[in-house]
Amino acid sequence: MEAFFTSAAIVAFAEIGDKTMLLAILLATRFRQPVPIILGILAATLANHGLAALAGQQIAGLLEADWFRWAVALGFVAMALWTLIPDKIDDEEANVSHKGSVFLTTTVAFFLVEMGDKTQVATVALGAHYKSVIAVAAGTTLGMMLTNVPAVYLGEELVKRVPLNIVRIFAASLFLALGLWQIWELWA
């Protein structure tokens, strides 16, 4: 349960202000069909984070050496720093075309935008740390949904009212705490 709840909390806070959250707002304001957008976000996140958690677990399973655990710990510290950098949607990513269903458009757009994103990288690190694909993927997916569902329904109002700098600092603190905790375990 620790892997599930930790993964959910870390990704929920890291996702606030992230480019995929901004994409959710963009899709919501463009298509005005919240249910297919939410289902598309869910499908994309399950696939993307499932693969990311599996990759993390497989890497951890192959590399049990102390240097790898140090790399994961330092990765969490790097994620803390990365989280402090505000995201914005690039002009290219904001130009979402609608050639099929809203669900399919959302699923493909979210899956692609999430590639290499900090929440995906965090999912790989969490998969390596906890070695539990299902708990980590379920937790990170819940975290994504906790942030993106309100973004879909509240759209731009959410961005105006939530102090994103404070949330980023809190999310960075969570990543830093995980990194320092793992470093402490390695030294102890």
Side-chain angles (χ1 to χ4, degrees):
M1 292 306 287
E2 177 186 342
F4 174 79
F5 288 118
T6 301
S7 298
I10 285 174
V11 168
F13 285 105
E15 180 64 10
I16 294 175
D18 192 70
K19 66 182 173 184
T20 46
M21 180 185 172
L22 299 175
L23 178 62
I25 292 168
L26 174 74
L27 292 168
T29 56
R30 179 157 187 201
F31 298 130
R32 301 189 191 285
Q33 294 181 36
V35 173
I37 293 169
I38 290 167
L39 293 174
I41 292 169
L42 177 63
T45 303
L46 282 170
N48 193 295
H49 287 210
L51 292 171
L54 178 63
Q57 180 196 43
Q58 293 303 309
I59 291 169
L62 294 173
L63 303 168
E64 288 291 330
D66 280 344
W67 70 266
F68 180 72
R69 289 187 284 178
W70 276 101
V72 170
L74 294 174
F76 279 122
V77 173
M79 288 299 302
L81 297 173
W82 189 7
T83 300
L84 293 172
I85 301 169
D87 268 334
K88 61 182 179 182
I89 295 180
D90 300 325
D91 291 335
E92 186 178 302
E93 292 168 343
N95 199 6
V96 177
S97 66
H98 178 54
K99 296 182 182 180
S101 71
V102 173
F103 168 79
L104 187 59
T105 300
T106 302
T107 302
V108 171
F110 245 79
F111 187 86
L112 294 175
V113 170
E114 185 64 12
M115 296 298 289
D117 194 52
K118 65 184 159 220
T119 50
Q120 185 195 42
V121 174
T123 303
V124 171
L126 289 161
H129 180 74
Y130 288 110
K131 300 177 190 146
S132 174
V133 173
I134 292 173
V136 168
T140 58
T141 299
L142 175 63
M144 290 285 285
M145 299 311 289
L146 287 172
T147 303
N148 287 307
V149 169
V152 168
Y153 281 109
L154 301 176
E156 294 176 26
E157 282 300 312
L158 184 68
V159 174
K160 291 178 190 173
R161 297 180 189 264
V162 175
L164 297 180
N165 287 335
I166 292 171
V167 174
R168 270 198 244 12
I169 291 168
F170 184 73
S173 299
L174 289 174
F175 282 119
L176 184 61
L178 267 176
L180 294 176
W181 174 42
Q182 192 157 1
I183 289 169
W184 176 259
E185 285 183 344
L186 287 165
W187 273 339

